[in-house]
Amino acid sequence: MNAPAATAPRELLTGVLLAGAGAIAFSCKAIIIKLAYRYGVDAVTTIMYRMLFAFPLFLALSWWSGRNKPSPTAQDWRTLFGLGFCGYYLASYLDFAGLQYISANLERLILYLNPTVVLLAGKLLFKTEVSRRQWLALGVSYIGVLVVFGHDVRAGPDIALGAILVFGSAVSYAIYLVYSGQIVRRLGALRVTGLGTSIACILCIAQFFILKPPSAMIVAPEVIWLSALNAVLCTFIPVLITMMALERIGAGVTAQIGMIGPMSTIILSVLILGEPFTVWIAIGTGLVVAGVWLLARYRVRPHS
């Protein structure tokens, strides 16, 4: 009699833990990318190697999760292509490109805005009502990013370009979160993850060979092993467990728990990359964290 009642809290706890672990693993990506850039590679090459190593893993996941199940419909494939393009290819490429110009600290702080972007996307796409308190939370978060951006932009105009690219990544991933809920419930998180990311892998690899000659694949050995680490630790594992969390707790809560990840990036960027942790970063981070926390508190129902 008590089993169904006990299942809901257990599912919630599992979803929260999965979302938190996925956010932290995702956040390590910025550190690995910045390390790879020290060996003279660009975003197109770095993302190609990341997805090249990840491709077999996601193909295997697609096969395993689709055993003894009906093939996706034509509409499912169109949706999967859109999700793969928007959530895994475009968001990843814009993020990689932006990291060529800005610090890992500012990059994570901008991506920290993801819950606010999810809320705004719901407002624009589905006319979701946004309360006055939620608007206040949004304002606090964006002021925090502007504090750090206003300090960093004095280093040169490339900072603005990098910030725009990374914010575009946040928007692209937010759109993916908003639209992925229904197909995840219909096909399952594992299958959507495998198929959607396999599509993104193909797009990233094709992009490289369209834009560069095959000889551009010759890179420093460090780039190879960093890319392999990125593919497994920061791509396959977090994508998988984040989709599993999405299936359990929905897009809104998953996005909110993502606030854990950027804090780990800020710490690692100081320890590993030697990036400074200034008073401006501290103030901006505090404001963004406060805004996202307020947004989570004021949302009676998570958007899913």
Side-chain angles (χ1 to χ4, degrees), residues 46-273:
T46 308
I47 198 171
M48 182 276 293
Y49 267 114
R50 176 203 192 195
M51 293 307 208
L52 184 66
F53 287 117
F55 192 26
L57 300 175
F58 286 111
L59 278 181
L61 179 63
S62 301
W63 169 81
W64 185 85
S65 60
R67 293 174 302 166
N68 303 319
K69 295 181 181 178
S71 299
T73 65
Q75 178 59 44
D76 288 336
W77 280 114
R78 286 190 290 269
T79 301
L80 287 166
F81 182 85
L83 293 176
F85 178 87
C86 186
Y88 299 130
Y89 163 73
L90 184 60
S92 294
Y93 176 70
L94 292 175
D95 185 31
F96 275 54
L99 274 167
Q100 294 177 116
Y101 307 109
I102 64 176
S103 66
N105 281 331
L106 181 55
E107 182 255 8
R108 280 294 115 178
L109 208 55
I110 294 172
L111 294 183
Y112 219 60
L113 297 173
N114 190 261
T116 72
V117 181
V118 170
L119 183 65
L120 290 173
K123 171 69 174 176
L124 295 174
L125 298 173
F126 303 111
K127 309 301 181 184
T128 304
E129 186 175 343
V130 179
S131 70
R132 188 173 301 177
R133 288 181 171 184
Q134 288 174 324
W135 283 119
L136 173 63
L138 290 171
V140 171
S141 295
Y142 284 88
I143 289 172
V145 170
L146 289 175
V147 167
V148 180
F149 174 76
H151 177 263
D152 287 4
V153 76
R154 292 180 295 180
D158 286 348
I159 301 297
L161 173 59
I164 291 171
L165 289 170
V166 174
F167 185 74
S169 172
V171 171
S172 183
Y173 191 69
I175 292 173
Y176 154 76
L177 283 175
V178 169
Y179 279 107
S180 61
Q182 289 188 349
I183 193 168
V184 166
R185 286 189 289 270
R186 188 166 65 255
L187 298 184
L190 297 181
R191 200 174 187 191
V192 170
T193 299
L195 293 172
T197 314
S198 293
I199 291 169
C201 289
I202 294 171
L203 292 174
C204 291
I205 295 169
Q207 174 185 254
F208 175 86
F209 288 104
I210 290 171
L211 298 178
K212 292 179 174 290
S215 59
M217 292 187 70
I218 301 175
V219 295
E222 291 82 358
V223 174
I224 302 297
W225 70 259
L226 284 169
S227 297
L229 182 64
N230 197 351
V232 178
L233 178 64
C234 305
T235 304
F236 180 72
I237 292 176
V239 164
L240 178 62
I241 61 179
T242 298
M243 288 299 290
M244 294 170 66
L246 188 66
E247 189 175 39
R248 288 167 170 78
I249 59 178
V253 180
T254 299
Q256 291 163 14
I257 295 172
M259 69 178 68
I260 299 171
M263 293 306 298
S264 65
T265 300
I266 291 173
I267 295 171
L268 290 172
S269 70
V270 174
L271 296 177
I272 298 176
L273 300 177

